[in-house]
Amino acid sequence: MTRPVGIEIFYWLDNWSDDQSSVFHKAAQVGYDGVEISLVAGQDVGVERMARTAESLGLKVLCSTGLSPTKDISSPDPTIRRAGIDMLKRCLDSSARLGSPILGGVTYAPWMGFFEGDLDGYRNRSAEAMHEVADYAAGLGIDICLEVLNRFETFMFNTVAGCLDYMNQVGHPSLKVELDTFHMNMEEDNLADAVRLAGQRIGHVQVAANNRRAPQYGHIDWASFGQALDEVGYQGWVVFETFPNSSAETGRATYAWRDLTDRPDEDAAEAARFIREHLA
């Protein structure tokens, strides 16, 4: 089985507002099939420029995004929920223009959003709003992939089992599970078993070592993880994601208090080869 291999493009960028297409060539040069871009900075991210640049380099584009406190589909405030729904629909429109089969990321609640009181109320409101967003996604032929985060970044769900419960509550086939081995390493009893539990509902896979370095480092059992992906018949993308520069906005926002590489281009090239050997 051959899976396409990509890289989260903020690996090479310092700020969330940077021109993401400016470093697409780096991904092509070190051997990736595609780039994962983020729409978290808003709609004015140069979608048409990104599409042209990716096509010129022979790269595919995958899209992700995240919600803010003022665009939170789990909020008790209906105006804020509506703003979040509308923002996600605009992100789906951009994903369609970029030819992305998915919209991944933290689409169900604000990243790092923690609240007091009735947490199930937040989950219920999120699920209700997500059904409308998923209907819109279905009309565009796009899957919404729900990234499963660790307990320090969200309360909504932290394991594949929790994500599946949320998906069952939403009750829409356009929702898929997004696996990320960095988060899974903290929360799952066994990564391969979690893959098997998600099964054919996996829509996207991101990989990094347990310490969020490139996957060739660390102690994750990649052989069993890759075997489990084979067993469930996963045919989607495997994307390397980390934010390695501790002095940049992207690194600080993701708690990289030390640089995760002093040779970013070489590590990225080695990661592409490693993923192809062990996971693709």
Side-chain angles (χ1 to χ4, degrees):
M1 185 175 297
T2 300
R3 304 179 184 97
V5 178
I7 187 168
E8 160 58 65
I9 203 61
F10 279 101
Y11 178 84
W12 282 292
L13 295 172
D14 290 344
N15 301 292
W16 300 121
S17 59
D18 287 345
D19 175 9
Q20 296 173 69
S21 66
S22 67
V23 291
F24 281 8
H25 67 282
K26 285 182 171 287
Q29 286 169 356
V30 297
Y32 288 91
D33 303 312
V35 292
E36 182 169 337
I37 65 97
S38 177
L39 300 167
V40 73
Q43 300 307 301
D44 187 24
V45 293
V47 166
E48 303 305 329
R49 180 174 63 250
M50 284 197 283
R52 291 193 303 270
T53 304
E55 183 177 12
S56 72
L57 294 166
L59 295 170
K60 301 296 185 182
V61 178
L62 304 163
C63 294
S64 68
T65 195
L67 299 176
S68 69
T70 60
K71 297 179 177 66
D72 172 11
I73 67 170
S74 74
S75 172
D77 185 330
T79 303
I80 292 176
R81 289 201 303 278
R82 175 50 52 188
I85 291 169
D86 291 344
M87 188 276 283
L88 290 173
K89 288 180 178 180
R90 291 193 298 272
C91 288
L92 285 163
D93 289 337
S94 295
S95 300
R97 291 201 296 275
L98 287 163
S100 175
I102 67 162
L103 178 64
V106 193
T107 52
Y108 45 84
W111 180 56
M112 301 299 294
F114 295 97
F115 308 102
E116 298 295 330
D118 179 18
L119 298 184
D120 282 339
Y122 285 91
R123 294 186 182 97
N124 294 340
R125 288 187 293 270
S126 174
E128 181 179 1
M130 183 59 75
H131 195 281
E132 179 181 340
V133 178
D135 258 348
Y136 192 83
L140 296 171
I142 294 172
D143 286 330
I144 299 175
C145 296
L146 307 172
E147 184 172 1
V148 185
L149 300 181
N150 70 74
R151 70 190 71 191
F152 304 109
E153 299 183 34
T154 188
F155 69 89
M156 194 68 69
F157 46 78
N158 307 118
T159 63
V160 165
C163 184
L164 293 174
D165 286 344
Y166 175 89
M167 289 168 60
N168 291 338
Q169 184 176 358
V170 177
H172 200 290
S174 289
L175 293 190
K176 302 291 183 182
V177 180
E178 179 174 332
L179 303 177
D180 184 316
T181 58
F182 169 72
H183 301 290
M184 295 176 76
N185 178 70
M186 284 184 263
E187 298 291 348
E188 303 289 356
D189 294 340
N190 181 288
L191 271 65
D193 286 347
V195 170
R196 296 185 187 98
L197 179 62
Q200 295 188 354
R201 300 180 82 175
I202 301 172
H204 192 49
V205 174
Q206 293 180 330
V207 297
N210 55 285
N211 51 12
R212 216 170 203 175
R213 298 188 70 200
Q216 60 267 28
Y217 303 109
H219 62 234
I220 289 176
D221 181 357
W222 294 112
S224 66
F225 185 78
Q227 181 180 352
L229 291 176
D230 289 343
E231 289 176 13
V232 302
Y234 177 67
Q235 298 181 26
W237 284 80
V238 181
V239 170
F240 166 40
E241 183 197 51
T242 191
F243 310 91
N245 186 351
S246 64
S247 63
E249 178 190 28
T250 51
R252 291 193 302 272
T254 51
Y255 310 108
W257 306 124
R258 66 187 188 281
D259 288 347
L260 300 182
T261 180
D262 57 4
R263 49 197 294 275
D265 293 352
E266 293 86 348
D267 267 5
E270 290 171 11
R273 291 192 292 269
F274 183 92
I275 293 169
R276 287 200 171 89
E277 180 179 354
H278 296 280
L279 299 174

